[in-house]
Amino acid sequence: MTSTDPKNFVQDLPTPEPETPCRPRQPYRFSTLCATVENPSQKDQYGSSSVPIYQTATFKGVNGQYDYTRSGNPTRSHLEHHLAKISSATHAFVVSSGMAALDTILRMLKPGDEVIAGDDLYGGTNRILAYLKTHGGVTVHHVDTTKPDTLLPYINPEKTAMVLLESPTNPLLKIVDLARIAADIKERAPNAVIVVDNTMMSPYLQRPLEHGADIVYDSATKYLSGHHDLMAGVITCNRDDLAKQMGFIVNAAGNALTPFDCFLLLRGSKTLAIRMDRQQATSMLVAQMLDRLGFKVHYPGLAEHPNRDVHERIADGYGAVLSFTTGDKALSERIVGATRLWGISVSFGCVNSLISMPCVMSHASIDPATRAARGLPEDLIRLCVGIEDPADLLDDLERALLEAGAITLTAGGDSHQRYIRTIPSEGTAISRAVQKLALNQSAGYTTECNEDREWFVSAPGKVILFGEHAVVHGVTAVAASVDLRCYGVTTPRHDGKVSVHFIDIDGFRQEWEVDDLPWDAVTPVRVGDFHPDTLDHKLVDAITTRALSPEVLAKPSARQACIAFLYMYMIMAHGGNRPSFNFSARATLPVGAGLGSSASFSACAATALLLLYSRIQLPAQPAPTTDGHVHISHEGRRAIPPVLAEEVNRWAFVSEKILHGNPSGVDNSVAVFGGALSYTRPGFGRKAGMLPIQGFKSLKFLLTDSRVPRNTKQLVAGVAALKEQEPEFVNGLLNAIQHISDEAQRALADPQLSRQTLLSALSALIDENHGYLVKLGVSHPSLEDIRSKTATPPYALSTKLTGAGGGGCAVTLVPDDLSESNLRELMAALSTDSFVPYLTSVGGSGLGILSPYNQPQLLATPPETPREGEAGAGTVELLRDTFAGKATADLSAWADSLGRWLFV
């Protein structure tokens, strides 16, 4: 067995012979090894693809390989070979539990031996070591193994028989330099056996045998199995002498794993890699959320975690266990009891998430004085993250923290968190004063609101690339974001009024006295709750009849936008908070052209209101460096947490319902999440829902607005009528369009497809899709004119209608090799014919929020904010003023110049 750099670990196992000498096969990677159970010395006589369960106690015959299952069993042999393979080991043994594995190892000790062990160990490990110390004549030294030098005074070349390590430790996630300690021990006590409990990491993330360990054991009940449906332990090693001793003990004691449990463990181990990828990705989100809230979090993935550099040197990931303290044991107990998705249980490594308090559960066997001496806090909460949806886990934990009183709503001012951590010692006058200051509880309309600054938000439009119209009948549609965006700015007023300025709707302006709005019709949606599936029509009617003037009602676009804005403004209000501000909105994408302008408006309005009401939180401000400055990295623009984006998307969908009645949810999802996705409507026999298209490559498109108004409802009704009259003909077209959508998804997600091949394939699919839409009767002469012009040499481009058709926009795929001069010439020709072309990229960023940590001179509020229409007394330039006056062509560049944007 060859050991390699663990960061690029590849098992050097025999692989199939290459088909040609010119292309030799590479050794299999870890995930492949996990999923591939192959023991060349034990071929199944029937070629079974799954290892059979040899559920037998005895085997017939004399001098055979197996005679008694306690001593050996084919199912167990397959499992042990598989586990050795993925652990960089020559030998592996599977026993009845993790503690049985440790017991087997410790049985090699004899009276007078000394053991050096960590001071932050699993409670069961402490228990068995205490028993050996009392009844076995073994001396045990507990030391802080995170500091390798602390072991040196206890190393005795004659007496030190074993060193017992964990990294990360359980439950404080301390990092131990396994490689350095192994080298120190081997140099000073060559006969000492170095044992590592690797349960917290599993072989996928860490293989201690590669770093000098002699024996590694895992509680396979945890990650290796992954489902908490069996008890098992695994021991691996490379030394024949140790393997011989432990093999004897396993056989003599009879604690080997049963055939059926071997089968279950073998099955579970196949999905180890994919499970842990999901679990540790979610763990990072949980750790970051708790860290932002101000809790002391123990997780190697956090930048400030002690010895993080050591961990990254010896491990391939951060794991899926973390812990945090609250400062109060009773508070911790309330948090644990308030969770719903997080099951209260000992153990970890399961597909389901678990929560526990180690000092009263897994580590209760350690007496309180010893726990205190070893720095194990009584209020410690351990989280063991499963494979559930990250958004659900974060939401459940946040709700538990809120219900327990561990966090509370922020107030506004300079705080931008949705919640902040409460002060445990609420009884003192000082703590109450500090908490009051943190909440910034001021009078009037500003209580608990982030209205004392300007917020600048944006969201992209969308284009339906394939499947429009057919999506209504169950065909999968493929949609993507465009670089043309809607922008929104909130500006504080503090005069008891709320106002809107919709610049693209003929400069529409309207303001309302906050207290005059129909608050008696509101049933608020509490913080943390979801809006019901149906709109509150009582509130919609009250806004329409009591808040909108006849002049507003006479303008359909402005009317619906006002209703959507006021509906969210009023139903989000909580605790008597009614912020006074202006919301201005405008876009670089054409309104009413089928490019999702209403959805991008909805995303902007929802985000602005959620920020004002502190119902969403932004990533915390980076800490100042030693020079006193905050250095903000420009690497990685996707800084908005998924849980925030999900919340915005839910509210944007509410707004879309007001604007359109029965939206699919595609437009607002693209506006929030960006990129590309596929959508299949439920109720047509196909798997329904929205799925992101991973690996989507940004593409250049020409969007041409025909400037011909369209009636979406009429066009959709026309296709439905045609389907009723000629079902066979229309269903044939729909099936053909489904095939196009399927082919497009495969091409867009294929990382092996060359750029040129992808563009060629998409071009053909665009032409084919448009032909079917023409047969459905949803094109328009203006769209055919655009299509004809773009197809004419020297352009020879592929164009199709998008959205409902019947006018609106056409989309043209622009290949990489089209010259700039030809592109400018084409756009000029389209403009000459009164069309409006927009060159844009497809598949870019989603929702954007201008970071509140840059450009303070633009985001601060003047000392005296003027009323709407009055001259300002402040000296600070407002974003709103420049925003309203910028030319549309310059808007995007100006917005980008303001500083760092946080994007989904």
Side-chain angles (χ1 to χ4, degrees), residues 755-807:
R755 178 80 174 179
Q756 186 57 44
T757 304
L758 172 64
L759 292 171
S760 178
L762 292 178
S763 179
L765 293 173
I766 285 172
D767 289 334
E768 186 180 358
N769 195 171
H770 183 80
Y772 294 135
L773 292 171
V774 169
K775 292 180 180 180
L776 286 174
V778 295
S779 188
H780 186 275
S782 63
L783 299 174
E784 295 304 317
D785 190 14
I786 295 169
R787 180 172 159 79
S788 174
K789 283 180 167 55
T790 56
T792 302
Y795 317 120
L797 305 180
S798 295
T799 299
K800 62 181 283 295
L801 65 86
T802 187

Side-chain angles (χ1 to χ4, degrees), residues 116 148-156:
I116 302 174
D149 291 343
T150 62
L151 281 75
L152 301 183
Y154 298 96
I155 301 174
N156 186 319

